[in-house]
Amino acid sequence: MSAESDERGKVAQSATGAPATGDVTRQTGDERPLGSRAPAFVKARRTLHLSWQVGVFLIGLAVVVVGVIMLPLPGPGWFVIFAGMAIWATEFVWAQIVLRWTKRKVTEAAQRALDPRVRRRNMTLTAIGLVIAGVLIGVYVWKFGIAMPWKITQ
């Protein structure tokens, strides 16, 4: 169980305005504080909160497993895996940290992809790859003709 679940009822802040003991506050920028987002009446009862966490874990696990199955099959596998991580992140600090790290890396990659030099390089590499593929297909057709690579008897 996570550290924030030990002090469910302590959501109030101390007189200095600092978070109460047990609250996890690793924040950067506008992000929400880390910790459980279960309703207060669920957090107030240890057994109910543990059941809530088990339910969230199982639902998130089912979604992640479906996403992993979709990776080799048709479907948005990575999107479903990240959706499962988002479900876990509603309750578990480790999932919130992983999800924030992933969001940061995706944002950085998107910013790098928008760089004009990177776009020119990617377009150049794509053009070179297409030329090489075209030459290889041309050599194959020139050497073997337009025939299937396996023998077809009539």
Side-chain angles (χ1 to χ4, degrees):
M1 202 158 21
S2 56
E4 75 276 3
S5 62
D6 292 334
E7 305 211 21
R8 285 169 214 35
K10 295 186 180 181
V11 180
Q13 295 185 349
S14 65
T16 61
T21 312
D23 288 349
V24 181
T25 58
R26 249 177 89 181
Q27 280 185 278
T28 56
D30 299 340
E31 296 174 346
R32 297 167 67 173
L34 296 175
S36 176
R37 293 188 179 93
F41 74 91
V42 171
K43 289 182 188 179
R45 294 166 184 83
R46 185 170 180 80
T47 307
L48 187 57
H49 193 241
L50 183 61
S51 301
W52 179 275
Q53 285 183 325
V54 168
V56 167
F57 181 79
L58 291 177
I59 291 170
L61 181 65
V63 172
V64 168
V65 167
V66 168
V68 169
I69 291 171
M70 283 185 182
L71 286 176
L73 299 175
W78 285 110
F79 177 76
V80 174
I81 289 172
F82 289 128
M85 286 297 296
I87 291 170
W88 279 338
T90 63
E91 193 60 32
F92 302 107
V93 173
W94 61 267
Q96 293 169 3
I97 292 170
V98 169
L99 204 58
R100 286 182 183 179
W101 179 84
T102 304
K103 285 179 184 178
R104 190 173 59 248
K105 291 298 179 183
V106 166
T107 303
E108 290 171 5
Q111 291 300 321
R112 281 193 311 268
L114 293 176
D115 182 24
R117 291 181 303 167
V118 173
R119 291 181 69 202
R120 268 194 306 276
R121 183 198 66 199
N122 290 345
M123 289 193 310
T124 303
L125 289 174
T126 302
I128 290 171
L130 289 173
V131 167
I132 290 172
V135 167
L136 291 175
I137 290 170
V139 168
Y140 179 84
V141 169
W142 176 67
K143 186 164 182 148
F144 299 108
I146 300 180
M148 299 294 160
W150 55 89
K151 295 192 179 234
I152 299 175
T153 57
Q154 294 179 353

